[in-house]
Amino acid sequence: MLQIGTQAPEFNLFASPNQKVSLSDLRGRKVIIAFYPADWSPICGDQLSLYNEMLSYFRKENAELIGISVDSKWCHFAFSQDRKLHFPLLSDFEPKGSLAKAYEVYDADEGECKRVLYILDESGIVRWSYLSPIGINPGADGILTALEEMRNNKTN
Amino acid sequence: MSKLTPALNKSDHVQGNKEAYIVLVEYGDYQCPHCGQAYSLLKKIQNQLGNNLLFAFRNFPLAQIHPNAIMAAIAAEAADVQGKFWEMHDVIFENQKKLDTSSLLTYADDVGLNRNKMEADLNEPELLARVSRDFENGIRSGVNGTPSFFINGLKYNDPWGHDELLSHLEKLINQPR
């Protein structure tokens, strides 16, 4: 896991079949990154559907959400349509898992990302992280609390 | 472990013995098939535990995957305004495959609710706000999907099949205290 206070590694990954997203595109906003093992798996589906309901709460805190797994862009596209997701899923597909490795969240035995949440501040610095046991959906209470603390620290 | 926030209070919809040692709170979504399964097995467990159980239901509609979930939740809250929350709650879960607005109004007729009042209340912002408050409190409490259960204020993360849940609750009832 990346240490709190470090600069998060840049990325430029497919978010849809013909569009890429870079971390630097998101400067000026907080970024919630949800690394997750796999599209279509039951726990990941529940976790992402939950976050999909929370986008308005995240936006109130000037935070964007992105999901990242090693699935391909077409797999993400189908999954995203099926679950009506309104946030981008990025494909850490080629070379497989290279971003997850840079963020120190790759599970080489499974060939998947671990279930990890990062929150970056407006300058791309890691401010909060959480490693969830692989079989447990971490919910969103930790994210909301962390975003509120970031807001309070700034105003104090 | 995640804690129910706020704790059970007088705005909650409860069923059972208010003095019961076991308080089971469900965060549920009327259009969620797993909540439909939970509905039937909870009825059984309520019968089996009788006076040992107080059950409460809070709303946690996942509107993007369940487009009728919010309206169904509002319909149950609107029934509460007429003093028939649980009747409506039950009829909705028993018909959860058909939850469009006109079906909801038919169910409201079936449980004997005033039709005009019901129709007006389906558009009542305060009832929508109530549903949203439940959702937000659920998030804060660590709800991560539906159904989520809290037993005596703590999130229950183990399997909630009938036998598992019942034996867990019976153990709590029988433990020395």
Side-chain angles (χ1 to χ4, degrees):
Chain A
M1 301 269 289
L2 298 175
Q3 294 295 314
I4 304 301
T6 53
Q7 187 77 42
E10 174 63 302
F11 53 74
N12 182 40
L13 296 175
F14 280 105
S16 71
N18 47 28
Q19 190 205 356
K20 285 188 161 186
V21 167
S22 301
L23 180 56
S24 49
D25 296 341
L26 300 167
R27 279 294 138 75
R29 277 171 283 172
K30 298 185 184 83
V31 182
I32 305 158
I33 305 180
F35 283 98
Y36 64 96
D39 291 349
W40 307 106
S41 75
I43 295 166
C44 302
D46 286 353
Q47 184 187 1
L48 298 178
S49 289
L50 177 72
Y51 295 171
N52 198 35
E53 303 289 338
M54 300 211 43
L55 300 177
S56 63
Y57 295 86
F58 297 154
R59 295 211 171 110
K60 256 187 255 166
E61 301 286 349
N62 190 33
E64 290 293 323
L65 169 68
I66 54 177
I68 302 179
S69 76
V70 296
D71 296 285
S72 77
K73 58 191 181 182
W74 290 102
C75 184
H76 275 341
F77 182 66
F79 179 62
S80 195
Q81 282 207 322
D82 185 71
R83 304 297 156 91
K84 302 186 173 63
L85 300 181
H86 300 295
F87 59 92
L89 299 181
L90 273 48
S91 255
D92 191 12
F93 184 71
E94 181 57 40
K96 186 185 172 199
S98 62
L99 187 75
K101 286 171 196 156
Y103 277 75
E104 301 173 14
V105 297
Y106 194 64
D107 180 339
D109 291 337
E110 295 287 336
E112 293 174 341
C113 300
K114 296 177 187 170
R115 198 180 301 283
V116 167
L117 299 166
Y118 279 112
I119 301 182
L120 316 181
D121 69 12
E122 291 82 346
S123 326
I125 311 274
V126 176
R127 291 301 175 199
W128 182 83
S129 66
Y130 181 76
L131 168 66
S132 187
I134 203 78
I136 297 196
N137 170 353
D141 48 326
I143 299 176
L144 281 189
T145 308
L147 288 171
E148 281 165 8
E149 276 171 14
M150 286 168 75
R151 170 161 43 85
N152 292 337
N153 287 342
K154 201 179 280 176
T155 47
N156 286 344
Chain B
M1 195 186 276
S2 301
K3 268 180 82 175
L4 186 66
T5 319
L8 195 79
N9 58 70
K10 62 177 176 355
S11 73
D12 274 303
H13 307 298
V14 297
Q15 216 173 26
N17 174 12
K18 288 193 174 143
E19 308 295 318
Y21 176 63
I22 302 286
V23 179
L24 175 66
V25 178
E26 175 187 1
Y27 274 93
D29 169 326
Y30 288 105
Q31 209 181 343
C32 154
H34 297 113
C35 298
Q37 292 166 19
Y39 165 76
S40 327
L41 74 87
L42 287 171
K43 282 264 179 247
K44 239 191 242 170
I45 288 180
Q46 284 178 287
N47 279 331
Q48 286 160 319
L49 295 185
N51 269 338
N52 284 314
L53 181 67
L54 180 67
F55 174 60
F57 183 87
R58 291 181 178 177
N59 298 295
F60 201 80
L62 295 173
Q64 293 298 329
I65 40 172
H66 300 141
N68 298 322
I70 289 185
M71 194 49 94
I74 292 175
E77 296 299 330
D80 184 55
V81 174
Q82 300 187 44
K84 294 200 168 183
F85 174 82
W86 289 105
E87 289 86 339
M88 193 68 186
H89 166 96
D90 289 5
V91 74
I92 292 173
F93 269 129
E94 280 155 22
N95 295 278
Q96 73 169 168
K97 289 200 172 130
K98 247 185 122 195
L99 298 180
D100 57 284
T101 304
S102 79
S103 301
L104 289 170
L105 286 169
T106 310
Y107 308 147
D109 291 343
D110 294 346
V111 300
L113 295 167
N114 178 298
R115 180 72 177 245
N116 290 338
K117 174 76 177 138
M118 187 72 190
E119 271 181 298
D121 282 345
L122 288 183
N123 296 310
E124 172 56 47
E126 180 44 41
L127 294 183
L128 172 61
R130 152 83 198 231
V131 172
S132 308
R133 265 200 308 279
D134 273 3
F135 181 84
E136 191 167 345
N137 290 336
I139 291 287
R140 307 260 170 203
S141 301
V143 172
N144 53 5
T146 52
S148 279
F149 296 106
F150 291 82
I151 297 171
N152 290 351
L154 294 178
K155 187 155 190 301
Y156 175 74
N157 291 317
D158 292 335
W160 50 265
H162 171 270
D163 297 353
E164 291 97 333
L165 189 57
L166 182 66
S167 80
H168 180 84
L169 294 174
E170 282 176 334
K171 240 181 259 163
L172 283 180
I173 292 169
N174 295 326
Q175 78 188 2
R177 52 178 195 264

